[in-house]
Amino acid sequence: YNEIFSLPMGLFKSNWAYDDYITPTGPHSDAHQVDPNYCYPFGVDPLWKGSKNELDYYNSLKMKLSVILGVTQMTLGICLSLLNYRFFNEKKRI
């Protein structure tokens, strides 16, 4: 998912841009969406790498992806064991 060794890969153009401006309290930077109809095709938009909540976002995403991958792997294992029991005609073990 768009991250190898914790470095983002900017394969596609980002849908976000920063507007830098100066206020009486100092310089600020706000992100705005360039095209509301554009969806990043694969992975995570690389502009997340510089955000304030980068660590929270990436950790949450990794946790959710690992749960999905684990449940998928366990479901596949159960289905394969069912096919194995049916192939060897061991209906008592099902």
Side-chain angles (χ1 to χ4, degrees), residues 2-32:
N2 192 21
E3 190 173 64
I4 297 175
F5 305 114
S6 298
L7 296 174
M9 299 181 325
L11 300 176
F12 308 99
K13 67 177 182 141
S14 178
N15 192 30
W16 295 89
Y18 280 117
D19 286 335
D20 295 326
Y21 57 92
I22 305 232
T23 63
T25 59
H28 290 282
S29 182
D30 286 336
H32 72 279

Side-chain angles (χ1 to χ4, degrees), residues 1 57-69:
Y1 67 87
Y57 177 76
Y58 278 131
N59 284 344
S60 173
L61 179 67
K62 289 176 188 178
M63 194 179 333
K64 290 171 186 170
L65 288 174
S66 64
V67 167
I68 291 170
L69 183 65

Side-chain angles (χ1 to χ4, degrees), residues 24-64:
T25 59
H28 290 282
S29 182
D30 286 336
H32 72 279
Q33 196 170 14
V34 176
D35 181 10
N37 297 323
Y38 176 74
C39 179
Y40 200 74
F42 176 75
V44 178
D45 196 312
L47 213 60
W48 270 106
K49 192 68 176 169
S51 67
K52 291 180 183 176
N53 60 345
E54 165 195 359
L55 185 62
D56 295 333
Y57 177 76
Y58 278 131
N59 284 344
S60 173
L61 179 67
K62 289 176 188 178
M63 194 179 333
K64 290 171 186 170

